Amino acid sequence: MKINPAELCIGIVVRNRAYAVATPGTDNAANTIGFPGSQLGRETLRVFLAGQECPVRLAVAGDGAIGVALAISPTAQCNVYILDAKPGAHPARLASYASRAL
């Protein structure tokens, strides 16, 4: 399945009270950034996602992934995938998963 280029695919790994976030960048390289796992970090992600005008595909894994996904995902135009976090889980791989998941 080919993803609509107008969709934003994001991977988030929640671990050690921090969020590692990745989005696909140009040349198949991922843009990765970290956020504190605090209320401020969650709110920052929530505001960013809510401000998107395109559909969002969000893949979340790690400690409390369900709660984090519910707290930050916009209610409209958002597909959320909760995944099992392997010890080597990387947000770029989750973003790639979100781009292929149906």
Side-chain angles (χ1 to χ4, degrees):
M1 177 187 149
K2 197 119 168 109
I3 187 161
N4 180 346
E7 293 179 317
L8 177 61
C9 299
I10 299 175
I12 301 173
V13 175
V14 184
R15 192 170 288 129
N16 299 326
R17 294 186 213 131
Y19 305 134
V21 180
T23 59
T26 57
D27 301 328
N28 293 328
N31 299 315
T32 305
I33 189 167
F35 290 91
S38 64
Q39 181 65 31
L40 180 60
R42 280 190 304 277
E43 186 63 15
T44 301
L45 283 170
R46 189 193 67 72
V47 168
F48 168 74
L49 293 171
Q52 299 305 308
E53 295 181 7
C54 62
V56 176
R57 293 169 155 252
L58 184 62
V60 185
D63 307 330
I66 293 173
V68 170
L70 289 172
I72 66 170
S73 63
T75 56
Q77 298 186 35
C78 185
N79 292 321
V80 178
Y81 308 98
I82 306 296
L83 304 164
D84 181 29
K86 305 288 187 224
H90 192 277
R93 284 190 218 126
L94 295 178
S96 177
Y97 175 87
S99 71
R100 294 186 315 268
L102 179 51

